[in-house]
């Protein structure tokens, strides 16, 4: 009887000891983990709008310990990323349609895979601006545009032209036109995808300015240069098409009231006036008064000749006449040496008097003997 009591007491003590050695709420039953499976796994795409193609992917789910995002684009290590709970990963996509899969692992080690369609569409570039620099026959182009990845430039001078690639922030190599004329330069801003934006800028390429100066050729920039001293200068329809001059276009020279006595217009010639080919400069002039002097100033010598001026008075009124500026006249001071070459011609009227509102017309300036 005594032995039975001892055995019972030992068993009871053992039971109490075991029950006290296991903390409350913990036992060997792990079946509850099966209920922690990540059935609520979802995904958020945050797609950039700057044509970078960057897409931020943020896996979400309950009980997730990690997620592996397979981008559906790229190779090797660049084709996927492991994301910690609450984290995200970013991948750069070309424009297109993709399938992204996310493999989520929960606390029990169970994996769940979900797939999601992704479409990346680039926006058309905005605020396209072309910067075109023209120098006689040569042109260079740069461009800016929001959301542009690159550009194509079409110079408009050949059939079936292939666009010249232009990087953002760069300038095209010099493009040379074979002849003067009107051209349309097209700049296409590329998004990196299908969307694009283009602009067309008309330009005029002028043949090198040279004598004879006739006001008739569309390929000549007769307005090159400018004016000084308050005078005005323009190319107009010939208002007095008769006599010596029946051409359609002429130059109009205006000397408004109080314009400076030395006021005039200047013409920078691309091809020097070569007095070795002739010693006289002739000009058709239409004036309303007799005896007022038309002056030409020869400047910018290419072979050391001095700047000089020649004045010739009008002899008829209200009709075209030809004035002759003789560069060998001994009255010209300083004297013009034989074979002189000049790259600038200035024209003035009625020096040394301030303007009185005079208007004259000029045409067909040329070098002859």
């Amino acid at each position: 009887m005594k032995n039975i009591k001892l055995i019972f007491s030992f068993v009871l003590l053992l039971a109490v000891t075991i029950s006290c050695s296991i903390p409350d709420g913990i036992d060997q039953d792990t079946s509850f983990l099966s209920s922690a499976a990540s059935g609520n796994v979802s995904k958020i795409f945050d797609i950039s709008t700057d044509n970078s193609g960057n897409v931020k992917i943020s896996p979400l789910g309950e009980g997730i310990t990690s997620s592996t995002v397979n981008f559906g684009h790229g190779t090797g290590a660049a084709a996927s990323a492991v994301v910690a709970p609450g984290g995200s990963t970013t991948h750069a996509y070309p424009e297109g349609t993709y399938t992204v899969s996310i493999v989520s692992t929960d606390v029990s080690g169970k994996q769940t895979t979900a797939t999601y369609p992704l479409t990346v569409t680039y926006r058309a570039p905005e605020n396209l601006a072309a910067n075109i620099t023209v120098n006689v026959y040569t042109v260079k182009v740069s461009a800016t545009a929001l959301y542009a990845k690159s550009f194509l430039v079409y110079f408009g001078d050949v059939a079936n032209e292939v666009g010249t690639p232009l990087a953002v922030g760069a300038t095209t190599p010099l493009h040379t036109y074979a002849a003067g004329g009107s051209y349309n330069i097209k700049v296409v801003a590329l998004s990196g995808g299908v969307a694009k934006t283009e602009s067309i800028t008309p330009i005029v390429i002028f043949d090198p300015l040279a004598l004879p100066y006739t006001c008739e050729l569309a390929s000549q920039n007769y307005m090159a240069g400018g004016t000084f001293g308050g005078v005005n200068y323009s190319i107009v329809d010939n208002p007095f098409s008769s006599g010596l001059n029946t051409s359609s276009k002429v130059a109009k020279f205006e000397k408004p009231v109080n314009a400076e006595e030395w006021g005039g217009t200047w013409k920078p010639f691309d091809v020097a006036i070569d007095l070795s080919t002739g010693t006289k400069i002739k000009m058709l002039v239409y004036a309303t008064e007799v005896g007022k002097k038309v002056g030409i100033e020869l400047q910018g010598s290419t072979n050391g000749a001095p700047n000089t001026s020649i004045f010739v008075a009008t002899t008829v009124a209200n009709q075209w006449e030809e004035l002759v500026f003789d560069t060998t006249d001994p009255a010209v001071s300083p004297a013009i040496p034989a074979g002189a070459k000049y790259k600038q011609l200035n024209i003035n009227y009625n020096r040394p008097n301030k303007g009185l509102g005079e208007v004259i017309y000029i045409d067909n300036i040329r070098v002859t003997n």
Side-chain angles (χ1 to χ4, degrees), residues 308-321:
T308 191
S309 301
I310 308 173
F311 300 92
V312 176
T314 59
T315 62
V316 297
N318 301 315
Q319 69 182 67
W320 287 100
E321 70 170 319

Side-chain angles (χ1 to χ4, degrees), residues 30-51:
T30 60
S31 62
F32 78 95
L33 291 176
S34 63
S35 66
S38 51
N40 293 328
V41 172
S42 63
K43 171 269 317 150
I44 295 178
F45 287 146
D46 183 4
I47 304 174
S48 64
T49 59
D50 60 358
N51 288 355

Side-chain angles (χ1 to χ4, degrees), residues 37-43 59-62 64 67 102-105 112-114 116:
S38 51
N40 293 328
V41 172
S42 63
K43 171 269 317 150
L60 299 177
E62 298 176 0
I64 298 300
S67 298
I102 299 179
V103 180
S104 299
T105 303
T112 302
T113 301
Y116 306 93

Side-chain angles (χ1 to χ4, degrees), residues 8 58 80 82 85 94 112 124 135 146 153 158 187 206 226 237 296 326 339 349 362 366:
F8 179 77
S58 303
S80 64
V82 176
T112 302
N135 182 16
L146 295 176
V153 177
V158 297
V187 177
F206 294 110
D237 293 334
I296 63 170
D326 187 352
Y349 183 64
I362 297 168
R366 63 203 184 277

Side-chain angles (χ1 to χ4, degrees), residues 273-325:
I273 299 169
D274 186 356
L275 297 179
S276 68
T277 64
T279 59
K280 296 179 175 65
I281 297 174
K282 294 184 178 181
M283 177 191 302
L284 290 177
V285 174
Y286 187 103
T288 60
E289 300 172 278
V290 175
K292 288 191 174 181
K293 292 182 178 180
V294 177
I296 63 170
E297 298 173 331
L298 297 171
Q299 298 179 348
S301 172
T302 63
N303 61 352
N307 293 346
T308 191
S309 301
I310 308 173
F311 300 92
V312 176
T314 59
T315 62
V316 297
N318 301 315
Q319 69 182 67
W320 287 100
E321 70 170 319
E322 184 174 74
L323 299 184
V324 179
F325 300 82

Side-chain angles (χ1 to χ4, degrees), residues 55-340:
V55 178
K56 182 180 179 181
I57 305 171
S58 303
L60 299 177
E62 298 176 0
I64 298 300
T65 59
S66 69
S67 298
T68 299
V69 178
N70 298 297
F71 300 121
H73 170 261
T75 59
S80 64
V82 176
V83 181
S88 62
T89 184
T90 300
H91 185 74
Y93 288 90
E95 184 175 70
T97 300
Y98 306 91
T99 298
V100 177
S101 67
I102 299 179
V103 180
S104 299
T105 303
D106 62 24
V107 293
S108 68
K110 182 178 179 180
Q111 292 186 327
T112 302
T113 301
T115 59
Y116 306 93
L118 170 65
T119 299
V120 178
T121 303
Y122 288 0
R123 68 194 296 176
E126 301 172 9
N127 299 334
L128 172 59
N131 181 32
I132 301 170
T133 303
V134 180
N135 182 16
V136 191
Y137 287 145
T138 64
V139 170
K140 59 182 180 179
V141 179
S142 61
T144 58
L146 295 176
Y147 316 118
K149 286 291 189 67
S150 62
F151 303 90
L152 289 174
V153 177
Y154 298 82
F155 294 96
D157 57 343
V158 297
N160 303 315
E161 182 179 2
V162 176
T164 299
L166 174 63
V168 173
T171 301
T172 62
L174 284 177
H175 180 82
T176 302
Y177 289 91
S182 298
Y183 301 93
N184 288 323
I185 292 183
K186 181 170 71 172
V187 177
V188 181
L190 304 175
S191 66
V194 174
K196 59 185 179 182
T197 301
E198 65 180 52
S199 69
I200 295 178
T201 304
I203 66 166
V204 177
I205 296 297
F206 294 110
D207 290 319
L209 187 61
L211 295 184
Y213 185 98
T214 66
C215 303
E216 298 298 313
L217 300 176
S219 63
Q220 282 279 349
N221 184 13
Y222 296 112
M223 289 297 292
T227 61
F228 51 91
V231 306
N232 300 316
Y233 187 87
S234 57
I235 304 299
V236 300
D237 293 334
N238 186 351
F240 307 108
S241 181
S242 60
L244 293 178
N245 190 9
T246 58
S247 66
S248 61
K249 298 287 186 180
V250 296
K252 182 180 182 181
F253 184 104
E254 302 173 85
K255 193 172 184 181
V257 175
N258 290 325
E260 300 293 344
E261 54 98 0
W262 41 263
T265 184
W266 59 280
K267 298 294 155 196
F269 286 94
D270 299 303
V271 178
I273 299 169
D274 186 356
L275 297 179
S276 68
T277 64
T279 59
K280 296 179 175 65
I281 297 174
K282 294 184 178 181
M283 177 191 302
L284 290 177
V285 174
Y286 187 103
T288 60
E289 300 172 278
V290 175
K292 288 191 174 181
K293 292 182 178 180
V294 177
I296 63 170
E297 298 173 331
L298 297 171
Q299 298 179 348
S301 172
T302 63
N303 61 352
N307 293 346
T308 191
S309 301
I310 308 173
F311 300 92
V312 176
T314 59
T315 62
V316 297
N318 301 315
Q319 69 182 67
W320 287 100
E321 70 170 319
E322 184 174 74
L323 299 184
V324 179
F325 300 82
D326 187 352
T327 63
T328 64
D329 187 336
V332 175
S333 179
I336 300 174

